[in-house]
Amino acid sequence: MEGTGGKPTAVVAVVTEPRFTQQYRQYLEKQKLLDRQHRVKKLRDGTVALPVLREALLEQHLRELRNRVAPGSTCVLTQLLDPVPSKKVQSYSPAQRLCLEVSRWVEGRGVTWSAELEADLPRSWQRHGDLLLLSEDCFQAKQWRHLEPELWETVASALGVQRLAKRGRVSPDSTRTPAVRMLLGDHGWVEHVDNGIRYKFDVTQCMFSFGNITEKLRVASLPCAGEVLVDLYAGIGYFTLPFLVHAEAAFVHACEWNPHAVVALRNNLELNGVADRCQIHFGDNRKLKLSNVADRVNLGLIPSSEEGWPIACRLLKQDAGGILHIHQNVESFPGKTLQPPGSSEMEEHWPSPQQIISNQLKNGATSDSRRKTLSVATKPEWQRWAKAAETRIATLLHQVHGKLWKTQILHIQPVKSYAPHVDHIVLDLECRPCPLVG
């Protein structure tokens, strides 16, 4: 097993002469005391150390070894500081090693190991350096409560970490605070590195999605040199930092209303050497006092960023326009009719074809080019949502700026499967003001 920081954990072993090794092994196996996870080791003085289960070993076992099993043998205890895992254990997955270690420890506490307890062990987790974040659907059986807090030390040792935390359900508040509690360790601050960018945050206060890595890599490759960008839902800097560090945006306005995320964001900007090219706007972005500044606006909020669309339209430069990166969870249920964005609440805003220039010919794209830009979306539900969002944005741009704008779908990017039949996607929408005629 591995201990804290991934270092081997010392194990207890019974030491005797080589000629008594077989008798010792047979006795220890019969008494269920032999540690099968580690190899027998020959020591420098020629004696042999047999790893044992320290929780179950009693003084009477040592007396029996000396006096009955192998009379005249040397029988002493030692600690192996660098135990060698058995060949069988070396082939185990982390989940199998966890099961082996926890079951052994539980039985050593006099608790019967059961299929119920085994099924209640985690099968996956998030690792953040020396902290492991467990999912909410593990360690739920009542029996575990009587084994805390030592249980968490055993779990951490088995998985090679120093700290443990367990995820709960995300709070339904506006800041989406994660319901995470520490099981082992005195704080939840961790550091994660993605694509050469350092992110530090408190797992008990801020969320971090590994599933967004493809989108972070994509925005890092966008040609943003010289551009001003507004990130309406910045969090700890998930997209703000790739835009600054790799895409080389000239400046980013980062909006965030979770105070814990703002602390992490400010720290991460400093860590990555880009604090001088970013201004943090703390609070509700609906009250943001910015307009006519952005070449791009990132709307990285799911399940929907629609509430931020009017703000994004106001932020785009009036004379040149720009690009919106709109995140959305889109359902793909067969036979279900997709409702246009805003249709339930703002039906009166939907334009007639004569009011808004947003169709595929008038927006400057030929039917062939439009078909090409949409071809990346393999699901028709994505395309229907994107077209509906495009029309809605065209309406908003007209309302906000008092003139007609051209819109064009540049790209539809799948990010991850959010849930069964629900996909997290990003729409890249180009928005340009129409030139005045006459």
Side-chain angles (χ1 to χ4, degrees):
M1 292 299 99
E2 291 182 340
T4 57
K7 297 179 181 179
T9 301
V11 301
V12 173
V14 175
V15 178
T16 191
E17 293 84 1
R19 65 181 183 275
F20 299 120
T21 300
Q22 190 60 29
Q23 295 101 301
Y24 271 48
R25 182 193 292 274
Q26 291 174 350
Y27 172 80
L28 293 172
E29 285 179 341
K30 185 176 181 179
Q31 299 296 322
K32 298 183 178 180
L33 296 172
L34 189 67
D35 179 356
R36 297 180 178 277
Q37 299 179 62
H38 299 96
R39 295 185 186 183
V40 173
K41 183 176 182 179
K42 188 172 184 179
L43 304 180
R44 291 182 178 179
D45 62 359
T47 56
V48 175
L50 294 89
V52 294
L53 305 179
R54 56 186 171 185
E55 299 89 355
L57 187 69
L58 303 175
E59 179 61 33
Q60 70 183 52
H61 297 130
L62 300 179
R63 286 198 297 268
E64 285 201 20
L65 286 168
R66 294 191 195 100
N67 302 326
R68 183 180 65 80
V69 176
S73 64
T74 299
C75 182
V76 295
L77 290 180
T78 190
Q79 275 197 334
L80 300 178
L81 301 180
D82 55 347
V84 178
S86 66
K87 290 183 179 179
K88 185 176 182 180
V89 167
Q90 287 177 353
S91 66
Y92 284 172
S93 68
Q96 289 173 321
R97 290 202 303 270
L98 175 66
C99 181
L100 193 65
E101 184 80 356
V102 172
S103 62
R104 188 188 75 171
W105 181 84
V106 165
E107 289 176 335
R109 293 297 182 276
V111 177
T112 302
W113 186 250
S114 65
E116 178 191 4
L117 291 179
E118 183 170 344
D120 203 27
L121 291 175
R123 297 293 185 269
S124 61
W125 43 78
Q126 282 188 1
R127 183 183 291 268
H128 298 279
D130 69 346
L131 183 146
L132 208 70
L133 182 58
L134 302 173
S135 60
E136 61 182 296
D137 58 352
C138 65
F139 292 114
Q140 294 179 315
K142 293 181 180 179
Q143 295 95 311
W144 300 120
R145 299 175 191 172
H146 306 295
L147 300 170
E148 298 178 13
E150 293 83 1
L151 167 66
W152 309 128
E153 295 176 0
T154 302
V155 173
S157 174
L159 296 175
V161 294
Q162 295 178 348
R163 295 177 292 160
L164 280 179
K166 186 181 179 185
R167 191 200 313 272
R169 295 191 179 276
V170 176
S171 302
D173 58 17
S174 55
T175 59
R176 289 177 57 80
T177 304
V180 173
R181 67 184 179 100
M182 294 298 297
L183 303 175
L184 182 66
D186 56 2
H187 68 89
W189 279 91
V190 299
E191 179 171 348
H192 185 70
V193 180
D194 263 353
N195 194 23
I197 297 174
R198 296 172 65 188
Y199 298 88
K200 276 191 175 181
F201 59 99
D202 185 345
V203 296
T204 67
Q205 302 292 344
C206 304
M207 296 180 64
F208 188 90
S209 175
F210 286 93
N212 290 344
I213 180 61
T214 56
E215 180 62 9
K216 284 186 280 188
L217 291 171
R218 188 179 78 92
V219 302
S221 68
L222 294 175
C224 300
E227 294 185 348
V228 174
L229 183 135
V230 179
D231 191 351
L232 281 179
Y233 308 97
I236 66 171
Y238 313 104
F239 300 110
T240 293
L241 290 168
F243 274 118
L244 286 167
V245 174
H246 295 306
E248 299 181 343
F251 198 85
V252 172
H253 294 277
C255 307
E256 178 55 46
W257 65 3
N258 181 341
H260 303 287
V262 167
V263 170
L265 173 59
R266 186 171 288 112
N267 186 38
N268 292 334
L269 290 167
E270 294 286 350
L271 277 176
N272 291 280
V274 292
D276 59 329
R277 291 159 48 212
C278 183
Q279 180 179 353
I280 298 174
H281 300 269
F282 172 53
D284 190 338
N285 61 26
R286 290 171 295 187
K287 300 177 181 178
L288 185 64
K289 298 187 183 304
L290 282 180
S291 63
N292 188 29
V293 296
D295 299 292
R296 294 177 190 263
V297 181
N298 192 63
L299 298 105
L301 180 67
I302 54 173
S304 176
S305 62
E306 187 174 352
E307 195 170 1
W309 294 3
I311 309 154
C313 291
R314 189 186 77 220
L315 289 167
L316 288 176
K317 291 180 177 178
Q318 293 179 6
D319 57 344
I323 296 173
L324 304 181
H325 302 286
I326 306 171
H327 291 238
Q328 180 80 13
N329 280 356
V330 176
E331 295 182 354
S332 301
F333 290 101
K336 183 172 181 179
T337 302
L338 182 72
Q339 294 297 316
S343 60
S344 60
E345 299 177 0
M346 295 175 280
E347 193 168 334
E348 68 276 14
H349 295 311
W350 279 85
S352 65
Q354 292 77 20
Q355 289 177 301
I356 300 298
I357 304 174
S358 63
N359 66 70
Q360 61 190 29
L361 298 178
K362 290 185 178 180
N363 67 10
T366 65
S367 58
D368 287 341
S369 66
R370 173 54 60 92
R371 193 153 46 238
K372 183 177 180 181
T373 58
L374 289 177
S375 65
V376 296
T378 58
K379 297 185 179 181
E381 292 86 357
W382 300 355
Q383 298 180 19
R384 289 198 294 270
W385 174 82
K387 290 178 180 179
E390 178 189 17
T391 303
R392 175 69 187 137
I393 292 292
T395 305
L396 290 169
L397 287 166
H398 188 200
Q399 293 172 350
V400 169
H401 296 286
K403 58 184 178 181
L404 298 180
W405 284 56
K406 297 182 296 183
T407 56
Q408 180 180 0
I409 296 173
L410 298 179
H411 185 68
I412 301 173
Q413 177 68 33
V415 178
K416 63 179 181 292
S417 174
Y418 186 82
H421 306 291
V422 180
D423 299 305
H424 174 186
I425 67 173
V426 180
L427 165 63
D428 292 350
L429 185 66
E430 184 176 19
C431 307
R432 304 294 179 190
C434 292
L436 295 177
V437 179

